[in-house]
Amino acid sequence: MNVPSSPEAPERYVVGVDFGTLSGRAVVVRVRDGEELGTAVHEYPHGVIEHRLPGTDALLPPDWALQHPEDWREVLRTAVPAALAASGVDPAAVIGIATDFTACTVLPVRADGTPLAETELAERPHAWPKLWKHHAAQGQADRINELAHQRGEKWISRYGGKISAEWQFAKALQLLEEDPAVYAATERWIEAADWIVWQLTGAESRNTCTAGYKGILQDGSYPSEDYLAALHPDFADFARTRLEHPLAQLGSRVGSLNPEAAGWTGLPEGIAVAAGNVDAHVAAPAAQAVENGQLLAIMGTSTCHVVNGATLADVPGICGVVEGGIVQGAYGYEAGQSAVGDIFAWWLRQGLPADYLAEAEAAGLDAHQLLTDKAAGQPVGGHGLVALDWLNGNRSTLVDHHLSGVIVGLTLATRPEEIYRALLESTAYGTRTIVEALEQGGVPVTEFIVTGGLKKNALLMQIYADVLRRPVSLAASAQGPALGSAIHAAVAAGAHPDVRTAAAAMGRVERSAYLPDPERADAYDALFAEYAELHRHFGTGADKQLHRLRRIRNTALTQIGEAS
């Protein structure tokens, strides 16, 4: 292995690239100490494709969410060179690059990696990459789960008893059943996390993280062909023909930067390219959250919770447990909430009163900050509200994307900031539900650490500390996943022997940045009890009212789309 740079040795650098829901960002990082020297962001021109397919007038069905692969290539062409220029680093001193992606964002491609969205099939919606929050495969997910339990499939318990509609198999089964021609043309079914690495190296690779958490790979195998055939006869060979590939460990080198990608990025041809990774899991070393019990919440448009444990446990409602899924030598557990920042943004999009907008403009504040300031002055429970954080379905612990949001306690006196605070609190209650499920399932949580854009909201962080009754630590980097990718690039390039060592040198965290207040925590216990009652009634009770409302909505919208 390479030894760390001595004071006399030339500095070495790596690049991390984080592909998010709405944008991609690149960061240039010094290998020796993790110093971030330059960063740049590229907003996706097509964003999230939810209403109309690009180049057509056809309406997409309800619950669809697609993306454009060219937007992802543009991140390599624009954000990486811009970050490099901002850093002032000589490109010749860069020794590696690594990437991370939202998951499960998955796309059908030809054998050479060409996305079907960029072929003659482009006018068919199923040819396009399905973003993680594409939830139109819930029916397929329900059947996958029902059959797995009927047959006693061993792997289903590793995913909390339910496979999500967001994941590879549900989305692929939806493709097969709704557009068999596109399915037949799909020679490889691949996570965007692996596809972008294919663009960098010119060769297909698959990483252990997405295969385990999103691809139902457990104990070295995918679900059996007998099981898949019982779902649909033409689905029997899905894993063998479209998924199977040698798996690369996290932090390993899967290839070298090819000439085309070197031209895009401005980086030297031949430098190390690390195995792909998921944005949440890759952020753990950036926050020094790699030891057992250190739970990292990656808080942005949604939240993903990842934590390492010493033993294998079956935790109901989690997203999955994978040996080595975060770092080698531990079982990595994942849970999450399908919307967090998206919920707060949704409320602002409903339109604030004119006097609020005028106040914000006069004070030089954006709407989020104005509502945060107003909400911060309220006593806990002063709004008389409790909300369910299911506006984009429930990822954990119910794993049901046909659930929807609920706000209880509204009156004619309710103000916008009160609803805003109730929504902030609802996400903290959802996180507490997840933490309690992990601990009750045998996975201790010894520290709660936050990374992502929402950690800058002091009120939100204090609410989390109070609701959870535990300190909240903060990752120091504003670019947690991108820095985490850079750490993996340093390991792939041989600059550090393993991810834990690299995390100690390059990661940053502020321990116990927010402490719980006992009086507020007591008040939140009472509100959490109300949340838990709503959670039971609407989530697990016999009355499936939210499901019925979703069916009524989807039927109405589908009829409108067919009429147009």
Side-chain angles (χ1 to χ4, degrees):
M1 72 179 184
N2 292 352
V3 297
S5 299
S6 68
E8 296 78 23
E11 295 283 8
R12 295 174 295 172
Y13 306 90
V14 286
V15 173
V17 189
D18 169 41
F19 291 85
T21 300
L22 297 174
S23 63
R25 63 200 64 238
V27 62
V28 179
V29 178
R30 191 163 57 208
V31 166
R32 172 169 52 87
D33 58 2
E35 183 71 18
E36 298 170 37
L37 301 172
T39 187
V41 178
H42 175 72
E43 302 287 337
Y44 301 149
H46 296 89
V48 179
I49 302 167
E50 296 176 286
H51 304 296
R52 295 182 186 275
L53 202 62
T56 76
D57 292 327
L59 290 173
L60 291 173
D63 300 322
W64 278 60
L66 309 177
Q67 289 204 305
H68 200 310
E70 186 62 13
D71 289 352
W72 305 333
R73 292 193 193 95
E74 279 301 305
V75 173
L76 300 177
R77 296 189 184 107
T78 58
V80 174
L84 196 60
S87 72
V89 167
D90 180 357
V94 176
I95 61 172
I97 183 172
T99 57
D100 66 82
F101 232 103
T102 59
C104 172
T105 295
V106 66
L107 62 158
V109 300
R110 289 176 172 165
D112 64 358
T114 301
L116 296 190
E118 297 178 349
T119 71
E120 68 280 359
L121 298 170
E123 292 186 357
R124 305 173 82 115
H126 276 294
W128 288 72
K130 291 180 171 66
L131 183 61
W132 64 268
K133 64 178 181 177
H134 174 94
H135 290 153
Q138 185 63 52
Q140 284 78 13
D142 292 341
R143 287 169 42 220
I144 288 171
N145 294 325
E146 181 181 4
L147 182 63
H149 285 290
Q150 286 176 357
R151 292 167 53 98
E153 296 288 339
K154 178 182 176 182
W155 45 263
I156 192 67
S157 65
R158 303 281 181 90
Y159 299 94
K162 287 186 178 181
I163 297 301
S164 172
E166 295 180 355
W167 297 350
Q168 288 187 19
F169 278 72
K171 287 174 173 172
L173 185 57
Q174 182 198 13
L175 165 58
L176 168 61
E177 293 179 338
E178 295 182 6
D179 197 336
V182 171
Y183 182 83
T186 300
E187 295 175 308
R188 303 297 286 161
W189 182 249
I190 190 166
E191 286 274 353
D194 292 321
W195 180 84
I196 201 68
V197 172
W198 198 339
Q199 304 305 293
L200 292 171
T201 65
E204 181 180 1
S205 63
R206 302 274 177 147
N207 73 85
T208 57
C209 185
T210 53
Y213 289 104
K214 314 303 177 183
I216 322 184
L217 182 82
Q218 291 288 343
D219 300 324
S221 300
Y222 290 103
S224 69
E225 293 201 10
D226 181 56
Y227 165 81
L228 296 177
L231 288 170
H232 191 293
D234 295 335
F235 205 49
D237 67 348
F238 168 68
R240 175 170 52 83
T241 59
R242 293 167 172 85
L243 290 182
E244 283 188 358
H245 193 278
L247 296 180
Q249 296 297 319
L250 303 181
S252 66
R253 179 172 182 157
V254 296
S256 302
L257 194 67
N258 66 20
E260 182 177 34
W264 292 344
T265 59
L267 296 173
E269 180 182 344
I271 64 170
V273 179
N277 209 328
V278 179
D279 51 359
H281 305 71
V282 80
Q288 293 186 342
V290 294
E291 301 304 325
N292 294 343
Q294 293 178 312
L295 187 150
L296 180 66
I298 302 88
M299 295 182 62
T301 56
S302 63
T303 292
C304 189
H305 309 80
V306 295
V307 62
N308 284 308
T311 59
L312 179 63
D314 292 337
V315 182
I318 62 163
C319 297
V321 52
V322 175
E323 186 174 4
I326 302 172
V327 292
Q328 293 302 304
Y331 290 95
Y333 292 82
E334 178 191 344
Q337 293 162 275
S338 292
V340 177
D342 272 352
I343 295 176
F344 314 148
W346 164 82
W347 179 237
L348 263 62
R349 288 198 304 271
Q350 306 318 303
L352 293 179
D355 59 327
Y356 278 63
L357 296 174
E359 182 180 352
E361 184 177 1
L365 301 174
D366 65 23
H368 281 290
Q369 189 60 56
L370 176 71
L371 291 184
T372 296
D373 291 349
K374 287 180 176 293
Q378 296 176 338
V380 175
H383 49 43
L385 303 172
V386 65
L388 291 174
D389 52 317
W390 301 346
L391 275 76
N392 199 27
N394 179 281
R395 183 181 297 164
S396 302
T397 56
L398 301 175
V399 198
D400 186 346
H401 294 291
H402 278 179
L403 295 174
S404 49
V406 176
I407 303 175
V408 174
L410 295 170
T411 73
L412 294 177
T414 302
R415 305 296 297 162
E417 64 269 21
E418 294 176 328
I419 295 176
Y420 189 74
R421 178 166 183 142
L423 293 172
L424 298 181
E425 292 166 345
S426 75
T427 68
Y429 303 147
T431 289
R432 177 168 166 174
T433 302
I434 289 167
V435 171
E436 291 184 355
L438 285 165
E439 295 202 313
Q440 291 167 8
V443 183
V445 175
T446 59
E447 184 177 11
F448 187 84
I449 308 169
V450 173
T451 191
L454 292 181
K455 69 185 178 72
K456 65 185 178 183
N457 187 315
L459 173 62
L460 183 65
M461 294 299 97
Q462 188 60 56
I463 288 172
Y464 271 63
D466 294 337
V467 168
L468 294 171
R469 284 189 173 272
R470 62 178 74 213
V472 171
S473 301
L474 298 181
S477 175
Q479 313 292 346
L483 174 59
S485 282
I487 289 172
H488 282 76
V491 175
H496 291 289
D498 54 54
V499 173
R500 283 189 175 87
T501 303
M506 301 173 69
R508 298 282 189 278
V509 65
E510 180 185 356
R511 304 288 181 194
S512 300
Y514 292 87
L515 300 175
D517 175 85
E519 290 186 5
R520 289 195 300 265
D522 287 344
Y524 273 126
D525 278 348
L527 283 170
F528 179 72
E530 299 299 330
Y531 173 90
E533 179 60 30
L534 290 177
H535 193 282
R536 285 189 293 271
H537 176 77
F538 286 108
T540 61
D543 183 3
K544 299 295 185 181
Q545 184 177 24
L546 298 182
H547 283 190
R548 294 197 303 273
L549 291 172
R550 176 63 65 100
R551 285 196 297 271
I552 291 170
R553 186 206 71 163
N554 287 356
T555 298
L557 292 178
T558 301
Q559 290 172 346
I560 291 174
E562 291 172 350
S564 65

